Amino acid sequence: MPVFDRLIRDVTLATMTGGGAPYGLIEQAAVGITDGRISFAGPGSAVPKDAITPETQVESQPGHLLAPGLIDCHTHLVFAGNRANEFEARLTGVSYADIAKAGGGIKASVAATRAASEDELVALALPRLARLKAGGVTTIEIKSGYGLTLEDELKMLRAAIRLEEETGVTVLTTLLAAHAMPPEYADRADAYVDHICAEIIPAAAELADAVDAYCETIAFSPEQVKRIFAHAIAEGMDVKLHADQLSNLEGGALAAEYGALSADHLEYLSDAGVAAMAEAGTVAVLLPGAFYNLREKTLPPVEKLRAAGVPMAIATDMNPGTSPVADLALMPHMACTLFGLTPEEALAGVTINAARALGIEDDRGSIEEGKAADLCLYPVSHPRDLVYWIGGVKPVKVIKDGEDF
């Protein structure tokens, strides 16, 4: 047993390891940290005494809960502009699809983002990420997709990477050039897909961890997405998909066919899509913020996903048009009240299953020996309290790689 740099004891642990007690709960527990990683997690009575030295920082936190750092696995955090006018329009009965067709929606954010410099994008995104960080987020995925040119997509990815340098939050980047049709390619969708495949994906391979696409009647067809995914995989990149949000194009099955890390939204996911995702191990990422803000009526098929054993993650979908929310701690409550998840499923959705949706479950998302010591300390005694309160419970302390964050 390595010597502890830090020992947090007299806490309740929500390890989120799955199996055994709900939430992976351990009472009167302790966590030992060595070189930024978890070197012990278990009952306080089992802490090895020889791992504690006079140099070990020992903290007693009775009455507190220690849980994994939160992971926001689907965001569009980097953007410029404001779309409050669209929110107002939707309240008068204008649909999201009609707004998009009229030049609003994603295209409005594209115009503003193109006009902003990389430095401006970083400055605009920092307060959003600061709010997420204060709520316990230690890892985040950030997509491009508001540039839609080679230069602007790369600008967005560079800005996202700089946010990790500025804040210490672990950032995973996703290329979403197939988010909407740029005005330069109006009525030439296949030509734009050619451009994505031949130029944007190879140029972004050094900056992006994964490639995403928006498969929808108002965006890209399944055939076009397949071409994009084939090129991404050839570049050694993971893939994921905005799937079956507004209609059923069998996006879930398409994502599974290509071994996607996740398929996201899924309000119109079919039974065949559920089965394909279960077989492929593709995570279902549910986005209650967008569902709520768009006032959707069709629910994602949570019961079928549960029965098939498809892991369910939850994310903010933080974006300027359909989910302007920078509070991941709110999402588990919304997933329970809107979608019918249990509190345990909801908390798993922003920890271990969110890690699975990013392909980092071996390193983060649960409190287990060998994983990064990304932790949140809460002033509650049971993890269900984190989901019960509307807006969640804010942590009194966030630890990143073993250090106070």
Side-chain angles (χ1 to χ4, degrees):
M1 174 64 66
V3 170
F4 299 151
D5 299 320
R6 187 172 188 175
L7 178 66
I8 305 171
R9 63 192 321 164
D10 305 316
V11 293
T12 297
L13 286 186
T15 64
M16 305 310 298
T17 51
Y23 305 94
L25 205 66
I26 306 175
E27 297 184 11
Q28 298 179 7
V31 170
I33 300 170
T34 305
D35 294 330
R37 307 197 77 80
I38 298 166
S39 49
F40 174 85
S45 59
V47 173
K49 292 183 171 51
D50 58 0
I52 306 171
T53 73
E55 287 73 38
T56 301
Q57 177 186 340
V58 179
E59 307 165 49
S60 176
Q61 298 285 356
H64 285 71
L65 175 77
L66 198 63
L70 303 185
I71 299 172
D72 199 348
C73 64
H74 180 131
T75 84
H76 306 256
L77 189 79
V78 172
F79 63 87
N82 182 295
R83 284 159 60 186
N85 61 315
E86 296 180 14
F87 172 70
E88 187 174 48
R90 286 198 304 273
L91 292 176
T92 67
V94 183
S95 72
Y96 177 67
D98 287 341
I99 289 171
K101 290 175 184 176
I106 294 167
K107 293 178 182 178
S109 294
V110 168
T113 301
R114 286 182 175 184
S117 69
E118 182 181 318
D119 287 344
E120 288 170 333
L121 290 177
V122 171
L124 288 167
L126 278 171
R128 302 166 195 148
L129 186 50
R131 288 179 61 188
L132 288 163
K133 179 179 176 180
V137 170
T138 55
T139 299
I140 189 170
E141 184 254 22
I142 301 176
K143 304 177 190 295
S144 65
Y146 294 129
L148 309 186
T149 68
L150 173 60
E151 178 182 348
D152 289 306
E153 288 292 294
L154 297 183
K155 176 179 68 176
M156 291 187 69
L157 293 171
R158 289 194 302 268
I161 291 168
R162 284 176 55 185
L163 290 172
E164 178 171 331
E165 299 166 359
E166 294 273 355
T167 67
V169 175
T170 297
V171 173
L172 285 87
T173 52
T174 297
L175 174 69
L176 183 56
H179 197 194
M181 205 60 58
E184 300 86 353
Y185 285 88
D187 301 318
R188 295 189 299 130
D190 286 332
Y192 181 54
V193 171
D194 289 341
H195 177 54
I196 292 173
C197 294
E199 300 182 54
I200 298 181
I201 288 175
E206 296 282 321
L207 298 173
D209 300 296
V211 170
D212 196 348
Y214 186 20
C215 185
E216 191 51 74
T217 54
I218 62 172
F220 295 86
S221 71
E223 292 72 23
Q224 291 165 342
V225 170
K226 288 178 181 181
R227 290 171 54 202
I228 292 166
F229 278 7
H231 279 79
I233 291 168
E235 290 286 346
M237 304 169 79
D238 290 319
V239 296
K240 56 186 70 175
L241 189 64
H242 284 62
D244 302 328
Q245 179 188 11
L246 305 175
S247 62
N248 174 26
L249 294 184
E250 294 296 349
L254 190 162
E257 177 184 348
Y258 284 84
L261 291 174
S262 70
D264 304 27
H265 286 290
L266 302 176
E267 282 85 341
Y268 288 84
L269 179 66
S270 69
D271 291 352
V274 171
M277 289 174 64
E279 183 176 353
T282 296
V283 176
V285 178
L286 308 181
L287 303 170
F291 180 92
Y292 166 82
N293 197 44
L294 290 173
R295 298 191 295 173
E296 293 288 350
K297 303 299 182 186
T298 300
L299 293 164
V302 164
E303 183 55 47
K304 293 178 180 179
L305 290 166
R306 181 186 292 132
V310 177
M312 291 180 284
I314 303 166
T316 60
D317 191 17
M318 200 285 154
N319 74 76
T322 62
S323 191
V325 56
D327 188 358
L328 184 60
L330 172 62
M331 295 300 105
H333 177 90
M334 291 182 69
C336 290
T337 56
L338 296 175
F339 296 160
L341 270 69
T342 68
E344 183 179 8
E345 288 172 332
L347 191 56
V350 292
T351 55
I352 186 59
N353 285 344
R356 291 188 176 107
L358 297 176
I360 58 171
E361 68 272 22
D362 290 340
D363 191 56
R364 300 171 196 275
S366 60
I367 301 178
E368 298 182 75
E369 292 181 13
K371 289 194 173 184
D374 290 1
L375 308 164
C376 288
L377 185 71
Y378 295 99
V380 297
S381 59
H382 198 281
R384 60 178 166 245
D385 288 322
L386 305 181
V387 182
Y388 161 69
W389 287 99
I390 299 175
V393 177
K394 297 302 184 282
V396 296
K397 181 179 293 188
V398 181
I399 297 169
K400 184 80 173 74
D401 297 317
E403 301 291 337
D404 287 353
F405 196 32

